[in-house]
Amino acid sequence: MRVLGIETSCDETGIAIYDTEHGLLAHQLYSQVKLHADYGGVVPELASRDHVRKTLPLIQAALTQANLQPQDIDGVAYTAGPGLVGALLVGSCIGRSLAFGWNVPAIAVHHMEGHLLAPMLEENPPEFPFVALLVSGGHTQLVQVDGIGKYTLLGESVDDAAGEAFDKTAKLMGLDYPGGPRLAKMAEQGLPNKYKFPRPMTDRPGLDFSFSGLKTFAANTIASTDGSPQQLADVARAFQDAVVDTLVIKCRRALEQTGLKRLVIAGGVSANKHLREQLADFAQRIGGQVFFPRPEFCTDNGAMIAFAGAQRLLAGERTDIKVKTFPRWPLAELSEPSGASS
């Protein structure tokens, strides 16, 4: 089965074609970073309009890349949530319309299920069951994954997500949008242990996260510096170390609680070099395994949507012709693929 995947949940237009027998055939991505940079963050209306302009040309580019025609597509998968409602509507309407016009089934995909399954696109995919850390600008969650649609939420952020805290702290330091990757780059020049940041919610049991206080601590620390590049780099290093240590501690607890040894990390923050190093070292020490998507599939992309959609389409699941989007869509509401709904 060849599935066209469409991702338009926020500020990236991602299109891909996934073949269940031959793997990924095409992958196209357009980032709106330059469009939103002047505003210091994503402007929803501008994001929606840009998706309108880019989605169909990227679909044509993906078909060309794969040397396919529309009649070669067996199904269409599109992100229906969570995300920006206007952006979701663009991809959902285009995806559902193409499926109707091509007379193939369509499937609405949960954005975070796409991220969760992204490591399955690699040559050495994880086997079920495993614990997944979904860590991005909008989500920080620990999930026990027993199969497609078999998800148990173990813990999540009670306020800011880890990626959101990175971006907000970067803005406090005067870094341009997108701030998170820039802060991580600056942290490479920082000296360890120059500043001591707390590891929030690690002094109590449980698997929930909280990063808003860490952002406030960073703001106070930045105000105490002289604003020199080195001192700001030292603050960036201390902040990143605190976030990464917190994530590692919670991952360790989740594996201990579930008795599992396989850990999957996905979402935009999973591209962070320091986080990857620390989790890889941790997994080696406990005799476990850690799986990451390649960097290009950490951020939003069509490949993860095409793959996730293909798994549900293969199981017989279908989405009816009425277009529905879910700006807020808890992962726990998903269920195992359950046959045709129309």
Side-chain angles (χ1 to χ4, degrees):
M1 173 179 274
R2 297 192 189 100
V3 178
L4 173 71
I6 302 173
E7 157 60 28
T8 63
S9 65
C10 191
D11 61 342
E12 272 129 358
T13 310
I15 306 296
I17 299 173
Y18 180 80
D19 188 310
T20 53
E21 292 185 8
H22 301 101
L24 190 63
L25 303 182
H27 169 53
Q28 298 286 325
L29 183 68
Y30 175 79
S31 174
Q32 299 178 359
V33 165
K34 291 183 180 178
L35 175 66
H36 301 288
D38 290 342
Y39 304 94
V42 177
V43 181
E45 179 64 23
L46 295 181
S48 302
R49 292 181 182 183
D50 216 41
H51 287 310
V52 170
R53 286 190 290 265
K54 300 297 183 182
T55 302
L56 287 176
L58 286 176
I59 290 173
Q60 184 57 60
L63 288 168
T64 300
Q65 181 183 356
N67 195 27
L68 297 175
Q69 298 297 321
Q71 57 265 30
D72 298 318
I73 299 299
D74 302 307
V76 178
Y78 57 88
T79 303
L84 302 176
V85 63
L88 292 169
L89 279 169
V90 175
S92 297
C93 288
I94 291 175
R96 198 60 194 81
S97 298
L98 288 176
F100 180 80
W102 294 344
N103 194 29
V104 297
I107 188 73
V109 175
H110 192 293
H111 179 75
M112 297 312 294
E113 181 172 56
H115 276 303
L116 188 153
L117 298 177
M120 300 290 188
L121 291 162
E122 305 303 323
E123 292 184 2
N124 180 33
E127 296 180 1
F128 300 117
F130 55 79
V131 169
L133 172 66
L134 300 176
V135 56
S136 66
H139 300 83
T140 304
Q141 299 177 325
L142 279 165
V143 182
Q144 180 173 331
V145 181
D146 294 313
I148 303 293
K150 300 169 71 174
Y151 310 132
T152 303
L153 182 64
L154 303 174
E156 62 185 338
S157 179
V158 299
D159 42 55
D160 290 355
E164 184 180 3
F166 262 94
D167 288 338
K168 289 181 176 179
T169 301
K171 193 168 186 177
L172 291 171
M173 302 177 78
L175 299 178
D176 292 335
Y177 171 84
R182 297 178 190 276
L183 187 150
K185 185 69 174 176
M186 178 183 285
E188 295 178 6
Q189 308 303 317
L191 299 174
N193 303 317
K194 294 293 289 185
Y195 297 97
K196 182 63 176 177
F197 277 50
R199 275 56 175 164
M201 294 186 73
T202 59
D203 59 347
R204 68 193 78 174
L207 295 173
D208 285 338
F209 302 88
S210 172
F211 293 108
S212 64
L214 198 60
K215 175 196 63 184
T216 303
F217 193 94
N220 293 332
T221 305
I222 292 167
S224 72
T225 70
D226 61 11
S228 68
Q230 185 57 56
Q231 286 199 8
L232 290 178
D234 294 341
V235 173
R237 172 67 182 267
F239 173 82
Q240 178 175 260
D241 285 349
V243 173
V244 169
D245 285 354
T246 300
L247 294 174
V248 172
I249 289 168
K250 297 288 185 170
C251 286
R252 185 195 71 222
R253 289 183 183 177
L255 292 176
E256 291 173 349
Q257 179 176 310
T258 60
L260 299 174
K261 288 293 186 74
R262 283 186 291 271
L263 180 65
V264 162
I265 317 298
V269 181
S270 68
N272 183 281
K273 184 190 304 183
H274 186 53
L275 176 62
R276 286 179 173 241
E277 291 172 349
Q278 292 301 307
L279 285 172
D281 178 67
F282 158 70
Q284 184 177 29
R285 283 188 278 111
I286 66 167
Q289 295 175 287
V290 62
F291 301 85
F292 305 94
R294 70 194 77 167
E296 64 190 291
F297 293 156
C298 291
T299 54
D300 297 348
N301 64 88
M304 66 183 192
I305 302 304
F307 178 85
Q311 308 315 303
R312 290 185 173 272
L313 288 170
L314 278 176
E317 187 171 343
R318 305 289 187 266
T319 298
D320 63 33
I321 197 167
K322 185 177 181 180
V323 174
K324 298 178 182 178
T325 59
F326 307 91
R328 297 184 182 278
W329 189 4
L331 188 65
E333 291 184 0
L334 291 183
S335 59
E336 294 181 66
S338 55
S341 61
S342 67

